[in-house]
Amino acid sequence: AGRHAMCLGLEPFSATQLRQRMSPWTPLPEWALELLVQKSIATLDTSENSAGMAIQRVLEILSAGLLLPGGPGLMDPCERDTVDACSSLTDQQREDLTASAQHALRLTVFRQFYRVLGMDPPAPPAAAQQARKRAAGEGTDAEPEAVAAEAPDAKKPKVEEDTPTPTPSV
């Protein structure tokens, strides 16, 4: 699976990492996974290839129901007859694999693929950290009142004045 990605100039992402991390992917035969990655990458726009897009494309194709019972299946190009490369999977395994791909795709779209791979979240960019510090009033030498005065949108505490409440006239 990684060989085809390297031929396209992509970072060598091993789709077998998905098989190792996610139990529904375990029954997927290695050949079927390699075939799936190859066919998925072939559908990408060649001007925008990246490892992330390749992973997302694999997840999109599986999420669409390629392997579901009654679906098109994954045809083995090395066989003379039409043979599904995933014929060893049960209907339940196919459904579990599709549901797992759908969940992983959701995480990927919302920039949380690190959760799929079981990694720590990436550190936020330095600019975002500085903006948060400024918003919290950290990292400045100025007094908090001066920081609040510089930020016109900042909420200021409401000071209640001693005004008598009007009494209703009868």
Side-chain angles (χ1 to χ4, degrees):
R3 291 187 296 253
H4 193 275
M6 287 192 300
C7 291
L8 289 175
L10 303 175
E11 288 187 28
F13 163 74
S14 172
T16 56
Q17 288 176 320
L18 292 175
R19 288 181 68 218
Q20 294 167 353
R21 297 275 324 143
M22 298 167 29
S23 60
W25 291 65
T26 306
L28 186 65
E30 182 74 28
W31 166 243
L33 182 60
E34 192 165 328
L35 186 59
L36 176 66
V37 170
Q38 183 271 326
K39 289 185 176 282
S40 299
I41 291 174
T43 65
L44 284 174
D45 180 14
T46 56
S47 65
E48 300 178 6
N49 282 342
S50 71
M53 290 182 72
I55 296 166
Q56 186 170 338
R57 187 67 182 145
V58 168
L59 295 173
E60 288 171 350
I61 289 173
L62 279 176
S63 295
L66 176 77
L67 301 180
L68 286 177
L74 186 60
M75 296 305 127
D76 190 341
C78 297
E79 296 294 330
R80 187 171 272 158
D81 299 326
T82 25
V83 175
D84 187 359
C86 298
S87 60
S88 62
L89 297 176
T90 66
D91 288 352
Q92 185 62 51
Q93 288 172 329
R94 290 169 183 263
E95 290 175 12
D96 292 346
L97 185 57
T98 301
S100 173
Q102 289 170 344
H103 179 69
L105 180 60
R106 280 186 212 104
L107 291 173
T108 302
V109 169
F110 290 108
R111 298 176 176 246
Q112 295 182 7
F113 191 67
Y114 62 89
R115 291 177 57 193
V116 175
L117 295 178
M119 301 169 63
D120 291 330
Q129 287 177 342
Q130 290 174 353
R132 277 192 220 110
K133 283 182 181 179
R134 272 187 257 125
E138 298 174 11
T140 60
D141 294 334
E143 294 296 318
E145 292 82 19
V147 172
E150 290 175 10
D153 296 335
K155 291 188 176 183
K156 296 178 181 161
K158 185 177 180 181
V159 179
E160 293 186 21
E161 298 176 16
D162 291 335
T163 56
T165 52
T167 55
S169 56
V170 185

